Amino acid sequence: MDTSRRGRTAQALRSAALAVLLTAGALNGAAPDAQGLTGRTETPVVSSGPVMGVTESAVRVKAPLPAFFGARPAACDWLSYLRYRSSDGPAAAADADRILVAQPGILEGAGAFDSVARNTVARAAEQGLHIEFWALDRRSNCLEDHTGIESGDQHAAVDYYYRGRPVGGRTFAGFAGNERLGWMARLGIEQTVRDQYELLVAELPDPAVRARKVLCGGHSLGGVVTGYFATADFDGDRATTADAGYRQCAGYFALDTTVSTTLGDLSGSIPDDTNLPDIGLGYGVVQAGLDSGVLPRSLSAPVLLNPETMTLLAVAGLGAVRDPDGGADLPSYLPSGANIEATNRFLFSKDAGAFLTGSPAVKDFRLTNAAVLGALMDDNSVPLAFLQSSVGFFDGGPVADKSFPVANGGTQQPGLFGTAYKAIPDRPHGPLYTWRDYDRVGDPDDPGYRSADGTPFTAAGKEVTALGELARSLAEQPLDFTEQYFPTKLVTDLELAGSPQVKRLVAYPEGLTARPVLTVLAGDGLLAGRIPADLHPLVADGYQHLDVLTAAPVQNDGRPEPVSTALTAFARAPR
C-alpha cells in the first residue's frame, strides 16, 4: 500500500476527478441526482489516511418512513452510508466483484468502519478483486449536526456545540431532548432491517446481483441486526421467498459478534446506569412508555453515553489530527457542566477518592492532544469495554494503576470494563505526557511501564491500532464514528426477543444457516472465549472490541492486518 507523497497526490487527483464526474452526471448508475433524477445523492470524501487506491463517497437515498412514525426532521426520511471502492475498479456498484454491507454496533456510526473498509478494499485490489464496502448509518443519525467538527478547529467546535457560537453563519440547535424524539419511539429492529432491505433494493435493483454479490454483516450489535435481516420476510407472505432476507445475501460476516437473533453475551456490555427501561414491564407497556415519552426514546447515561459527551470524542479526534504532539488545552477549554464533569471524573480518576473530590482533575495534567485521545479510547485507560481500542500507551512521565471504577487484576464484569490493566498519569502539574503509538510499543526506548503488582500494562502484541487513523475516523468522516441518538426501542426489542411481537419477525429461522458465515473474534474483546467452537472463528490476537474496525493495515510484527485479510479471502471465495 503506497504511502508516499506521489500516492497521496494520485489519490487527491482521483478524488477530484470523481467529484467532477459526479457533478457532471457521468458515472453510470452512481449519481442519479446529477442526472436529473431525485432521491439519491453521492458526495466524494477526501481522506488524509495512508491507505491508497480507495475511493470513498457519502451516499444518501430517500426512503420516507411510514406516516405512523409522526413528525420528524426531513433529513430523517433519508438513509445514508459510506461507500468505499477500488479507485481502479468499476464505477457502478453492480459491476463490482463483491459488495460488503456492514451494520454498526451499539452507539456506533458508519465512520467507525473507515479503517477496516479501506484496508479490505485495498487488500482485495492487490489480489485483482474489485470489491465495495458499504458502512451503513442508522437512520437516527440524521439528527446529528457535524458543522462544528467540519470547521476543522477544535476551539470553534467547542464554542459551537457548548457555547452557542455560530460557525459559518450557522448556530447549533442544541442536543435533542426526549420531547424532540417522538418519532424514534417506533424505530426498532423491524424498521432497522427494513431500512437495509430498501437501501439494497434501491441501490442494487437486480435481485440476482444481490444474491450473488452482497455479503451482509456487522460489528457487535450489527451481528444481531444481520441475524434479524437474514430471517426477515419483507413482503409479508412467507410463501414467497424472493424477498426473504437471506436471499439478499451471498454470505454473512460477524466482527466481534455472531450472526444471530439473540443479544447473548453482548447484553453485558451495556452499562447499568443507562436509562434502558425495565423489560420486565413487557413489550406492550414498554412500547406505550416510548410512545408517550414516559420512557426515554434514546439510550443514554450520565457518563460519556449521551449526545453532549459522545460529541467530545470527535472534538478530541480533531485535536489529535491537527496537532497530535502539541500541548492540549481541551480539558480546560471545555465549559463546566454536569455531564462533562461526571465523564471527566469517571475516565480520569485514579481511585474513588479522586472521583468523589474531583482532584486531581484531568485539566491538572499536561497532556498532548494525542494523549487526550488515547486516554479516551485506549484499552489501558478507558474502563468501558465496548469503547476500547489498542492504540499504544502513555509516555513522557510516571504512571500509576487506575483502580477506579474497578481495580486492576480483578474479574469483575469483564464484558463491561474489559480485562486490560488500566493506567493513569501520576504527576499533576508535572511533565508533558505524550503518547507512544501502537508501533512504538516495545521499542528499545519504551519505558516498559508496569502495574504495582509487577504486571506489564501492555506489550507490542497487544497494540494494533494507529492513533492517527483512529483520530481521522473520528474527526474527518462525514458520518460519525459514534452515535449520539441510539434508539432505545432497538435494544428493548432485542431484549424482548421472546415476545410474540418480536418473535414474528423471525419468519425464516433457516436463514441464519442458509449462507456461509465468517466470524471474527477480538482476542481480548467482549466475546473472548465465549463464541461457540462450531462457528470456527478467526481470533485476532491482542485485539479489543473496536480494533476489528480500527486496526492498522500493517501490524507490529510486520504482518498484514488479519481482519481485512480474512474479509478479503471470504469475498474471494466462490459463491
Side-chain angles (χ1 to χ4, degrees):
M1 296 182 186
D2 183 10
T3 59
S4 67
R5 183 179 300 274
R6 179 178 298 176
R8 291 179 185 276
T9 301
Q11 175 75 345
L13 290 172
R14 281 193 293 267
S15 296
L18 176 62
V20 172
L21 289 171
L22 287 172
T23 302
L27 286 184
N28 180 30
D33 272 359
Q35 300 172 35
L37 303 179
T38 60
R40 187 183 192 276
T41 66
E42 183 162 6
T43 306
V45 177
V46 179
S47 172
S48 62
V51 178
M52 296 293 104
V54 179
T55 294
E56 179 188 359
S57 53
V59 181
R60 298 172 70 240
V61 176
K62 192 164 189 179
L65 284 167
F68 66 77
F69 274 81
R72 56 199 175 271
C76 300
D77 275 335
W78 292 73
L79 300 174
S80 301
Y81 70 96
L82 295 176
R83 180 191 181 201
Y84 299 84
R85 65 182 186 88
S86 171
S87 300
D88 297 326
D95 294 332
D97 294 312
R98 251 341 154 241
I99 303 146
L100 283 69
V101 179
Q103 281 279 355
I106 192 168
L107 297 166
E108 194 171 84
F113 289 96
D114 184 57
S115 290
V116 71
R118 292 179 183 280
N119 293 346
T120 304
V121 170
R123 191 86 59 207
E126 290 173 350
Q127 300 175 27
L129 190 72
H130 295 303
I131 70 171
E132 297 206 3
F133 194 114
W134 296 1
L136 305 185
D137 217 30
R138 249 183 297 276
R139 189 185 285 266
S140 52
N141 288 348
C142 63
L143 297 170
E144 297 175 2
D145 180 351
H146 303 140
T147 304
I149 301 301
E150 290 171 351
S151 72
D153 183 276
Q154 195 177 62
H155 281 191
V158 170
D159 291 343
Y160 181 77
Y161 294 116
Y162 305 104
R163 293 193 174 95
R165 296 176 185 170
V167 167
R170 180 171 181 173
T171 302
F172 184 48
F175 297 107
N178 203 43
E179 71 283 354
R180 290 166 55 188
L181 304 178
W183 67 278
M184 285 178 57
R186 299 274 169 164
L187 200 59
I189 186 61
E190 183 172 13
Q191 187 61 47
T192 298
V193 297
R194 181 162 291 280
D195 282 349
Q196 180 173 343
Y197 177 74
E198 292 186 359
L199 180 69
L200 285 175
V201 170
E203 295 290 83
L204 300 167
D206 185 346
V209 169
R210 299 196 298 273
R212 189 174 69 254
K213 294 188 175 185
V214 172
L215 301 178
C216 304
H219 173 242
S220 191
L221 187 75
V224 183
V225 174
T226 300
Y228 275 91
F229 180 84
T231 59
D233 171 22
F234 290 106
D235 71 355
D237 183 356
R238 298 192 187 189
T240 61
T241 60
D243 62 289
Y246 69 90
R247 296 289 296 271
Q248 319 309 312
C249 313
Y252 312 131
F253 60 93
L255 305 180
D256 210 29
T257 184
T258 59
V259 176
S260 66
T261 53
T262 175
L263 277 175
D265 290 314
L266 287 173
S267 61
S269 68
I270 302 174
D272 294 333
D273 62 344
T274 62
N275 56 5
L276 186 65
D278 179 5
I279 61 168
L281 296 171
Y283 184 94
V285 174
V286 169
Q287 186 60 61
L290 292 171
D291 287 340
S292 66
V294 171
L295 296 178
R297 292 139 173 169
S298 176
L299 190 67
S300 66
V303 175
L304 190 59
L305 308 182
N306 59 73
E308 182 179 4
T309 50
M310 291 293 270
T311 301
L312 284 179
L313 296 178
V315 175
L318 193 58
V321 167
R322 297 293 179 264
D323 188 13
D325 299 322
D329 68 353
L330 179 61
S332 58
Y333 193 74
L334 283 169
S336 60
N339 284 336
I340 292 175
E341 178 65 18
T343 297
N344 282 340
R345 290 195 189 193
F346 181 78
L347 297 182
F348 217 83
S349 288
K350 177 180 177 181
D351 50 35
F355 176 77
L356 292 173
T357 63
S359 180
V362 60
K363 58 187 176 183
D364 295 327
F365 293 85
R366 298 178 61 223
L367 306 165
T368 63
N369 288 309
V372 167
L373 182 59
L376 289 171
M377 299 291 290
D378 187 67
D379 59 334
N380 296 116
S381 178
V382 63
L384 290 171
F386 72 92
L387 275 176
Q388 291 174 355
S389 54
S390 308
V391 293
F393 198 76
F394 293 107
D395 209 350
V399 300
D401 286 82
K402 186 181 189 308
S403 59
F404 181 84
V406 293
N408 283 332
T411 59
Q412 185 178 354
Q413 289 187 268
L416 177 58
F417 300 115
T419 58
Y421 272 51
K422 307 297 185 289
I424 191 169
D426 198 33
R427 292 290 186 274
H429 311 292
L432 178 66
Y433 283 89
T434 59
W435 191 258
R436 180 171 290 267
D437 209 359
Y438 86 106
D439 57 354
R440 293 185 55 238
V441 172
D443 280 2
D445 65 342
D446 186 347
Y449 294 108
R450 291 177 178 266
S451 166
D453 68 7
T455 302
F457 282 110
T458 190
K462 297 286 188 180
E463 304 299 334
V464 302
T465 292
L467 184 128
E469 286 302 288
L470 178 63
R472 277 186 279 272
S473 296
L474 284 162
E476 287 189 349
Q477 289 302 312
L479 302 179
D480 274 351
F481 186 110
T482 57
E483 184 175 24
Q484 296 176 17
Y485 302 98
F486 180 86
T488 301
K489 181 171 170 56
L490 183 51
V491 175
T492 57
D493 278 356
L494 300 180
E495 292 276 13
L496 291 163
S499 68
Q501 296 91 335
V502 180
K503 285 178 69 175
R504 69 175 177 82
L505 302 178
V506 183
Y508 305 105
E510 67 273 18
L512 290 173
T513 56
R515 299 291 184 264
V517 183
L518 170 67
T519 302
V520 179
L521 173 65
D524 294 338
L526 295 182
L527 303 178
R530 296 196 295 277
I531 288 184
D534 60 0
L535 293 180
H536 307 293
L538 165 74
V539 178
D541 293 331
Y543 277 46
Q544 292 290 349
H545 189 54
L546 287 181
D547 289 322
V548 296
L549 305 184
T550 61
V554 179
Q555 291 297 287
N556 269 325
D557 56 9
R559 292 186 299 175
E561 196 281 313
V563 178
S564 54
T565 300
L567 287 171
T568 298
F570 190 59
R572 285 180 60 87
R575 297 286 188 271

